Amino acid sequence: MSGTEHPVVVLRIDREAGRHTGHPRHLHPALDLMYVQAGLEQALQVAVPLLDGWLGQFRVESFIARVLALKPRVAVIRAVTWCLEESVRVAAALRAAGVVTIAVGQQVQHVARTRFGGWNEAYDLAVAGEPEEQAPRLALRVLAGEDLAGLRAECRRRMDAGEVALVEAPHALPRPRFGRDALKTYAFPFPVRGRPAARWGYVLTAWGCPRPCRHCTAIVRKSVGRDLRVRPVGDVVDEVLVLQAAGAQAIAFEDDSLLVHRGRFLQLADELVRRGVGLPWMANARPDELDEERVAAAAAAGAVLLKVGVDSGSARLIERLGKTADGAGWIAATESAFERLDRAGIGSVALFMVGMPDETEADAEATLALARRIRPDYLQMQIYRPYPDVPLWGELPQQSRTHGAEYHYLTPATSCSLIPPVALAALQRRFYRRFYLSPGFVARHLARHWRHYLSVAGLARAPGALAYLMRGA
């Protein structure tokens, strides 16, 4: 076998990371694909290339050429709703060249619920749900010469039955490998409290989220199951230390919510301290998880930033989304949580949405008012899109559902809220301008992070961010 031939390649197709936003983005690695890659490399004892189409400007023809140059027999391809067209074009070209195509990612759950032209002709096989265990097994069965028609019928039966693959043995998964270049490629692009970090490692400690939210899509989640399936805390800290030895200066814990299980999180925080890891880290959390005990433990263990899913400042909408039965309590918990984080010296990103089902402009104004009261380090305001894999999707009228390329930073063509589509984009811009251009934010940000802007990289990012905030002003 020549050096350019590979039995399997792993591909991420996503055209949106470098488009439409006009401001710096946090580019996350595709950890699910990295686990697929690691599993295949362990089984095959050869290198398995991972091509990440989220990096740079994605062009279908050049991407296809890069893949075919590797001469693969099998391609595992991850995509989501907003790039189904590109996914189909890439997979169809590879299949026409004799490559067996395996679909993974949210695209599979999309197609299982609503058709997309050409998808069945482009893909031989598919794994719905979490691919980390099932996709390598399926690829190995193909390489072993199993009947492709039989495998195709098996995948189709599972999709038709609504089966979703789940990681069952997280402790047995081989670790993803991060080289020094990857640590830099996926760095968090904004200043965080404490010393600057240019190389970031990524770690999943568990799969699954037990929360009953009705609007949450696999596009933003790291896993799809409800049951929490965890790795031993000691193994997690071992992986953090391996990343540190590889050059990581900070860690991003990618769990859907690292703090969801109080006892386990406290154990993890204690182990990080006991073993003297000393790396700053960020993670995802909910406001109602940020009590005094967990915040104190996070601060002691090195937390410098928590991304907190607030979603809305409207108690009515919070209850509608299934976040909690007590919307007013959610708002109160949000205000308390951000105050605790600030006192503990932990930075925060408040994650909000606009355009949710039945949302009114008064609801949106309540969200803006809450964002200004809690004074997070950063605010993210997405335009909500109801993708086909969420429970709410089936309740919406046909014209309000997202079927194709609508991305949550694009001006939407439709709205499932009571706010007209064109007004949603204007609201999003206004949220950003009022928050980021307020004198209070500017003063707080510069007081904490002025050193960041003394670097060439920091100065280079500032004009793009400002231009985005000012667009349409």
Side-chain angles (χ1 to χ4, degrees), residues 20 78 117 285 336:
H20 305 302
R78 180 185 191 268
S336 298

Side-chain angles (χ1 to χ4, degrees), residues 69 81 176 250 281 288 318 324 359 374 386 399 406 472:
T81 288
W281 54 266
D288 53 358
I318 289 298
T324 177
E359 184 174 12
I374 61 178
Q399 66 271 18
E406 285 195 276

Side-chain angles (χ1 to χ4, degrees), residues 11-236:
L11 313 175
R12 181 197 211 177
I13 296 176
D14 197 326
R15 64 179 177 148
E16 298 297 349
R19 299 172 58 182
H20 305 302
T21 56
H23 63 86
R25 294 290 312 282
H26 184 189
L27 302 178
H28 297 260
L31 276 182
D32 54 355
L33 290 187
M34 295 182 75
Y35 274 107
V36 171
Q37 177 191 40
L40 287 165
E41 289 183 338
Q42 183 182 72
L44 297 170
Q45 294 297 298
V46 297
V48 174
L50 193 165
L51 276 62
D52 190 346
W54 201 6
L55 303 177
Q57 192 71 28
F58 181 84
R59 293 181 176 84
V60 169
E61 298 306 325
S62 59
F63 193 76
I64 292 169
R66 287 175 62 199
V67 177
L68 290 177
L70 297 170
K71 302 179 181 178
R73 290 175 57 193
V74 178
V76 179
I77 305 174
R78 180 185 191 268
V80 297
T81 288
W82 60 63
C83 55
L84 274 169
E85 179 185 348
E86 289 81 5
S87 174
V88 165
R89 289 172 62 192
V90 170
L94 297 184
R95 193 176 182 197
V99 180
V100 176
T101 52
I102 302 175
V104 300
Q106 187 260 0
Q107 63 171 335
V108 183
Q109 290 150 276
H110 177 123
V111 174
R113 298 190 66 180
T114 180
R115 296 185 181 278
F116 190 87
W119 196 88
N120 287 330
E121 294 72 33
Y123 282 102
D124 291 293
L125 309 171
V127 176
E130 299 166 0
E132 291 92 325
E133 292 176 345
Q134 294 300 325
R137 292 172 188 165
L138 192 56
L140 292 171
R141 291 170 70 186
V142 173
L143 293 174
E146 276 199 45
D147 176 58
L148 191 57
L151 290 174
R152 188 179 295 120
E154 178 184 320
C155 289
R156 175 51 59 186
R157 283 195 302 271
R158 289 179 173 175
M159 285 182 66
D160 291 345
E163 292 184 23
V164 175
L166 299 177
V167 170
E168 300 292 349
H171 62 280
L173 290 170
R175 293 175 188 156
R177 54 178 172 84
F178 278 89
R180 200 172 181 88
D181 288 344
L183 296 173
K184 293 182 67 175
T185 297
Y186 298 106
F188 187 68
F190 303 102
V192 296
R193 301 191 191 189
R195 65 179 185 268
R199 296 186 298 276
W200 286 75
Y202 289 76
V203 176
L204 263 170
T205 86
W207 280 254
C209 178
R211 305 298 190 180
C213 305
R214 302 170 65 245
H215 66 301
C216 191
T217 170
I219 286 175
V220 298
R221 287 184 60 176
K222 307 303 177 183
S223 55
V224 300
R226 285 285 298 276
D227 293 336
L228 196 64
R229 290 144 288 138
V230 304
R231 296 172 57 199
V233 164
D235 289 355
V236 171

